[in-house]
Every structure is written in structure tokens, then in C-alpha cells.
Amino acid sequence: VNALQISPELRKNLVYELIRNDILNIEESKTNNFVLDLLNFHAYNLRHATLSLISIIAATYKGVEYLMMNGPTVVEKIIEIMKGTEDGQVIQRFCIAILQKMSVKEDTIAIYMKFNLIDWIIKLLQRSRTNEIHIFCLDFASALLANILHSNTTLDFLEANANVCKNLTETFLTMIKENIPTSVLMHILICLSYLSKERFSSVKEECKFYDRITEFVEYYSNIRANNESAEIDKRTVLDLCAHMFHPKDTTMDMSEAMEINDMKYEDRIKEFENEQGDLIFECFQDEIS
């Protein structure tokens, strides 16, 4: 609560002070036992407070490194809590936010793959079609999905497992035609841009990738925007498609169309830190007591 009252331009300094003082007793004890003990308590207020503090720390790359200092157990525990929490609850929102922020570090991606996070996120998005789930979960989870798909760890796995890659591509191509929030749609389109590389050419051919992207663009172009905000969202989605996808008859490698796809993780981290500016700490008004 006190952290939320700190002016945005000073928040990065706060995070660095938390790390310097080893607030979670990670560096001094050379274990993650203290933070794991806190997270293992099922008392809601304690778990809420601990996760909110971890989310604050994970807001900078130094914080992510601090949380990973003694291995993956903190990340694994957060995944466990996220999967075991009711969809949309604040506890789950904090977990998704933490995992999304930590995905900037390559080492986390292998952990996410081990715990089958891609499948869990897709099922979360699919559940949102029939059950109302807080938009924060959908937005951050789909952003996390895009970050996982950005990693060479994931792309190498998909290249070696053509059936998994095909199922994933089919799922995304189907999903973009469904009525999903614009932010989620953009993240799914970014995921598809990673799967449009030449290394997946056989899967693209089987899925009729470019035909279906073209169909989507035609379909989306004809959607009527009810207000100025919806019109801006519509133009953004169509611009995104134009930027990321070539016409189906092109022979150019897709990576030439979107250099960010091939951005090295180190460069992405620098960009992440440079562009982040003032930090935003999550605060959910619907569960403030």
C-alpha cells in the first residue's frame, strides 16, 4: 500500500532499494525458503501481500534477476498458485502479471514450457468465451503468450514438433475470428507472426496460413466501429496485419517484414528497460479492503 503512494518517477529507486536490502532474504540465505514459506501459507491477505511485493520487484530486470538468483522455485510456485486460483481473482492477476514481467528473461521460458503454460493460457482465453474473466487476466496472459512465442527456446521446440506447431497455429487462426478483446487479438496476431517464419513453411501450407490471414483482414475490414475508440482499435489491428504479414504469394522471408521478431533477448531487455519509463504497480480496486 505504501509503495502505491510513491510517485511514479521514484518507483524504480524503490525496487532497487528492496533488492539492495534483500527484502525476501534470497541473497543472504542463498535459498528461496523464506519467500516459499510465505507463499505456502493459504491465508489470503498474506499471499496477496507477498505476491504484490513480488510483482513490484519483478517490474525491473534487476528484480527479475533477484527473484531467479537461487533457481526456478519461486517462479514454479507462482505458476502453481496461478493454476490453482479461481479465474480472474486478484491472486491470479498478480501471478499472471509476475510471470508476464519475468518472461523478459530467457531462462524463464524453459520453465514456462515445462509447466505447459501455452496450453493453460489458451484454455483461459477459451474459458473467457463462456465465463466472464477480468480483462487484466486476458490482456496480461495473452501478452505473456506472445513473449513465450517470441523465444527461440519455444520456436526450436515447435520446429521439432510439427504436430504441436500445427495445432497451435490452427488454434490461433480460429481464435482471431472469434469475438475477443482487441488487446488479446493483437497479442494473438503477434503470436501468429512468430509462426509465419520460413522454418514453419510446411505447417503454414497445411493450415492455409496466408489464405486465412487474408480472410481475416477482409472480415475485420467490414466490421462496423460504433465509436471513435473502436475505430482506432480497428485501424491498429489492420495496420498490425499489414506490417506483419505479406500477401500469400510472397517469397520473402517473414522476418524481413518484422525485424522485432528476430531481436535478440539482450536487445529486447535493453528496450524493455529504456521504454518502460515510470513504473506502474498493479492495484485492483475491486478487492481493496
Side-chain angles (χ1 to χ4, degrees), residues 104-267:
V104 74
K105 187 170 175 64
E106 178 82 41
D107 294 352
T108 62
I109 304 300
I111 304 168
Y112 297 167
M113 294 294 288
K114 174 185 172 183
F115 284 86
N116 209 7
L117 228 53
I118 292 176
D119 186 57
W120 185 88
I121 293 170
I122 287 172
K123 286 177 178 172
L124 175 75
L125 298 177
Q126 290 171 336
R127 288 197 298 275
S128 74
R129 298 291 314 283
T130 53
N131 302 297
E132 187 174 342
I133 297 175
H134 198 283
I135 185 61
F136 184 94
C137 289
L138 306 181
D139 194 8
F140 269 70
S142 57
L144 170 57
L145 188 62
N147 285 354
I148 295 172
L149 265 290
H150 178 274
S151 168
N152 282 326
T153 299
T154 307
L155 297 176
D156 290 345
F157 170 81
L158 292 174
E159 187 175 16
N161 294 270
N163 284 337
V164 177
C165 184
K166 182 182 176 183
N167 289 338
L168 198 56
T169 304
E170 284 282 357
T171 298
F172 290 152
L173 288 169
T174 300
M175 198 174 284
I176 59 175
K177 291 288 292 287
E178 297 171 347
N179 184 25
I180 55 178
T182 305
S183 57
V184 176
L185 173 60
M186 290 180 188
H187 293 143
I188 298 302
L189 287 169
I190 291 169
C191 289
L192 281 168
S193 77
Y194 300 142
L195 296 175
S196 66
K197 292 174 178 285
E198 284 305 304
R199 66 200 292 187
F200 304 119
S201 55
S202 60
V203 169
K204 287 192 295 179
E205 191 174 338
E206 285 184 59
C207 296
K208 298 182 179 178
F209 188 96
Y210 290 119
D211 287 338
R212 291 167 73 177
I213 290 293
T214 302
E215 286 174 14
F216 166 75
V217 170
E218 291 173 357
Y219 151 78
Y220 204 79
S221 299
N222 292 321
I223 291 178
R224 179 174 293 179
N226 296 324
N227 52 55
E228 185 180 354
S229 176
E231 181 62 36
I232 292 170
D233 285 348
K234 178 180 174 180
R235 286 202 304 268
T236 304
V237 168
L238 293 174
D239 286 347
L240 197 63
C241 290
H243 181 59
M244 292 190 300
F245 304 111
H246 282 290
K248 60 183 178 181
D249 59 350
T250 185
T251 56
M252 186 185 294
D253 189 318
M254 289 297 293
S255 62
E256 292 178 31
M258 193 178 182
E259 292 180 6
I260 196 169
N261 284 9
D262 294 321
M263 189 185 295
K264 291 182 179 178
Y265 243 77
E266 293 78 6
D267 296 332

